[in-house]
Amino acid sequence: MGKSSLLPLFAAATALMSTASATLDPIVIKGSKFFYKTNGTQFFIKGVAYQSGIGSNGLEPAAGTKYVDPLGDEATCKRDVPRLQALGANTIRTYAIDPTLDHKPCMALLDAAGIYVISDLGEPSLSIDRSNPTWDVSLYQRYTSVIDALSPFTNTIGYFAGNEVPNNLTYTSSAAYVKAAVRDSKAYIKSKGYTQGVGYAADDDQTVRAQVASYFNCGDSSSTIDFWGYNIYEWCGDSSFQESGYADRVKEFSTYSVPSFFAEYGCNKPGGAAARKFSEVASLYGTDMTPVFSGGIVYEYFQEQNDFGLVSVVNSASVSPLSDYAAFSTALNAVKPSATQSASYTPTNSALSCPTVGANWAAASVLPPTPNTNVCACMVSSLSCTTKSSIDDLAVGQLFSTVCGLPGNPCKNVIGNATTGVYGAYSMCNATERLANAFDTYYQGLSATNKATGCDFGGNATLVSKPAVGASCSSAIASATAAAGAAASGGSSGSSSGGASSSASTSKSDAPNSIVGASLGLTKYFTVGFAMIAGFSGMGMILL
């Protein structure tokens, strides 16, 4: 399809955008399928990954961010939405949005074009790091702010709480932190009266894919995923339903109890993006796969160095379709999947059993506690030895290395172990709050003689003569301590009352080795000089 033949498509797209009624019918979940809420017709995702890398297309992030929000600029959306609609797309996936920006113009353009949104909740600096995971107040605040930014729009289907976090046997303990994020994101959505679902996007590593799928589908429904996204690149070149392994994936997910779809697909080997013919599209939306999978999201709209793009950016007002744009458009517009009606569909699949902790799985069913800013603030106010307000963030990692190696187990209240399911009461606080607790725990264990010089830590700690702890704080601290004790003895799922904060990861590349199970959950910013914990693994697709 040449550029000239695309013009009628864009004329039609522009006309539809100007006349279509706003407010798309929300997408709801029943059993293992998606449905339009009002008419009850089954919904199949015909999606495109939509996020530009920093600098690669002449785009620079807003001040204070390390990514470009694809839904934060109306002019860019006006440029791209007609192209997306002409492709035949009804969904886009974004990997990081800036919740402080105004998304109404872009979401309205997408709505008028009949396009829904699924967005990741993390971003490069606030994301569950597979090599050193945590679920803390900063991450919780990030996740809930994204939820608040996009949930008011009826064309938001839902969110990914993590992307390819446990991507091999080394990192399976990180699944517990992602599942805690799922639990708390779902609870927040419910508390606010929103209706979107929360899922997980997994990679296709054969050593862990079965365990990961089971783990996020097992246990109490309050902490299980609402949908499963599969980043899968098995169909390359002239392949087939059987040869590609798609037939095996259909068999594996035929009994899954929530909707499954391809969160990324579109192998560019051999020949790069230009050689992609997308012969897998007919199979994905055909009778072999639609009883199990609800469509997929092709990777990706923008051409980047990794050579998966459908278009290249000419300037802020124009993009140029590449060879695979026409190929994908032809393939996607040709499919007409056979849809089920909600009223005639009775779900029969049940949740799976949790994988057993052992050599091939390191995440227990007990989850990290719900982040709670009030508990963390109360804890800090109770300390006699705390961090100085002038502490250098870059020194925090080394200070943890120092204090955690001292006698008396000073870090017992702030460290988590996903393999044993034991989490310190304050393991969900931010890094400086956790460090303050470790300082104080060490200090309180000293003899009266040693206390005179025991709260210093190279000038980074200070004594508080009269810690102020009100009745409400005393109650909050007692409750958090009791919850941690109950979880340690197997009496709790790790959830605590209240809430306020977050984390996630998005990557195709392996990260450095980690200490399996135990984690202080420090980001790269805080781990400089900290030998106990491996470094940040990075976000992934949007950084390639």
Side-chain angles (χ1 to χ4, degrees):
M1 185 185 297
K3 291 184 181 179
S4 60
S5 62
L6 288 171
L7 294 177
L9 287 173
F10 291 113
T14 303
L16 179 60
M17 288 171 63
S18 64
T19 59
S21 60
T23 311
L24 285 172
D25 194 6
I27 303 303
V28 297
I29 295 170
K30 181 179 180 181
S32 59
K33 302 183 187 302
F34 293 109
F35 294 94
Y36 290 99
K37 181 178 180 180
T38 301
N39 65 25
T41 300
Q42 187 177 359
F43 176 80
F44 290 95
I45 293 171
K46 297 179 179 179
V48 179
Y50 181 68
Q51 184 117 19
S52 178
I54 294 173
S56 60
N57 290 307
L59 298 173
E60 295 297 332
T65 64
K66 296 180 180 179
Y67 57 94
V68 176
D69 182 349
L71 304 180
D73 181 68
E74 183 177 6
T76 301
C77 290
K78 284 182 176 179
R79 178 193 70 188
D80 293 334
V81 170
R83 293 276 184 189
L84 291 164
Q85 187 183 31
L87 276 170
N90 65 12
T91 307
I92 59 170
R93 176 185 177 182
T94 61
Y95 292 87
I97 66 108
D98 183 349
T100 67
L101 299 181
D102 182 9
H103 297 97
K104 290 180 182 178
C106 282
M107 293 300 288
L109 288 166
L110 291 165
D111 184 287
I115 298 174
Y116 293 85
V117 174
I118 298 174
S119 184
D120 290 44
L121 290 170
E123 54 102 330
S125 298
L126 285 171
S127 179
I128 297 173
D129 175 5
R130 69 175 69 89
S131 66
N132 182 31
T134 190
W135 174 237
D136 65 16
V137 292
S138 299
L139 291 167
Y140 181 89
Q141 288 166 348
R142 162 68 195 182
Y143 276 42
T144 54
S145 65
V146 172
I147 290 169
D148 282 336
L150 295 184
S151 287
F153 303 105
T154 62
N155 57 328
T156 300
I157 294 175
Y159 309 97
F160 286 125
N163 181 75
E164 299 185 7
V165 184
N167 66 346
N168 61 43
L169 289 174
T170 304
Y171 306 113
T172 58
S173 64
S174 64
Y177 295 89
V178 181
K179 195 167 182 178
V182 171
R183 175 199 65 203
D184 295 338
S185 297
K186 289 177 62 170
Y188 184 79
I189 287 170
K190 183 177 180 180
S191 73
K192 297 284 285 188
Y194 302 142
T195 59
Q196 287 76 16
V198 181
Y200 175 72
D203 77 329
D204 191 32
D205 185 274
Q206 63 181 350
T207 65
V208 296
R209 63 190 176 203
Q211 302 98 299
V212 172
S214 296
Y215 187 75
F216 285 112
N217 187 238
C218 75
D220 191 282
S221 60
S222 64
S223 62
T224 57
I225 55 172
D226 296 313
F227 50 80
W228 169 268
Y230 209 169
N231 297 345
I232 183 168
Y233 293 84
E234 292 184 346
W235 190 306
C236 298
D238 294 322
S239 191
S240 67
F241 178 62
Q242 293 292 339
E243 181 183 352
S244 65
Y246 278 23
D248 296 325
R249 305 292 83 78
V250 168
K251 183 178 180 180
E252 290 168 358
F253 283 89
S254 62
T255 59
Y256 213 58
S257 66
V258 299
S260 304
F261 59 94
F262 288 0
E264 290 176 6
Y265 75 96
C267 177
N268 65 351
K269 298 177 181 179
R276 294 196 293 185
K277 299 177 181 178
F278 295 104
S279 56
E280 68 266 44
V281 170
S283 188
L284 180 58
Y285 296 95
T287 56
D288 284 333
M289 299 188 69
T290 53
V292 174
F293 285 102
S294 297
I297 299 170
V298 76
Y299 190 78
E300 65 176 328
Y301 182 75
F302 294 103
Q303 175 72 332
E304 310 278 356
Q305 289 184 353
N306 55 12
D307 192 23
F308 279 90
L310 298 173
V311 306
S312 62
V313 174
V314 177
N315 53 48
S316 60
S318 176
V319 296
S320 176
L322 301 174
S323 297
D324 55 344
Y325 180 99
F328 181 62
S329 178
T330 298
L332 194 62
N333 281 289
V335 298
K336 293 179 173 57
S338 178
T340 299
Q341 287 298 123
S342 177
S344 61
Y345 167 62
T346 302
T348 57
N349 295 347
S350 301
L352 302 177
S353 298
C354 292
T356 302
V357 173
N360 293 322
W361 190 253
S365 296
V366 177
L367 303 179
T370 300
N372 190 312
T373 53
N374 180 57
V375 167
C376 295
C378 283
M379 177 271 288
V380 172
S381 72
S382 73
L383 304 179
S384 298
C385 176
T386 188
T387 54
K388 284 186 176 179
S389 59
S390 60
I391 191 170
D392 182 354
D393 287 338
L394 294 177
V396 172
Q398 182 60 53
L399 289 168
F400 264 117
S401 181
T402 299
V403 69
C404 290
L406 295 174
N409 196 11
C411 293
K412 62 185 177 182
N413 297 322
V414 299
I415 199 167
N417 191 311
T419 303
T420 62
V422 176
Y423 303 92
Y426 310 114
S427 59
M428 47 74 176
C429 299
N430 69 38
T432 53
E433 290 168 336
R434 281 177 275 153
L435 182 62
N437 185 273
F439 281 172
D440 190 72
T441 301
Y442 172 72
Y443 175 77
Q444 297 300 340
L446 295 174
S447 65
T449 302
N450 291 332
K451 278 187 176 179
T453 58
C455 182
D456 183 73
F457 292 95
N460 291 289
T462 185
L463 284 171
V464 179
S465 58
K466 293 182 180 180
V469 184
S472 61
C473 269
S474 295
S475 176
I477 291 171
S479 177
T481 303
S489 62
S492 168
S493 66
S495 177
S496 63
S497 61
S501 261
S502 32
S503 164
S505 163
T506 317
S507 179
K508 279 184 179 290
S509 59
D510 291 344
N513 290 333
S514 66
I515 299 173
V516 175
S519 177
L520 273 168
L522 304 178
T523 65
K524 183 178 181 180
Y525 192 49
F526 288 113
T527 52
V528 176
F530 189 38
M532 289 179 60
I533 304 296
F536 181 61
S537 64
M539 271 293 286
M541 296 310 298
I542 63 172
L543 297 184
L544 292 178

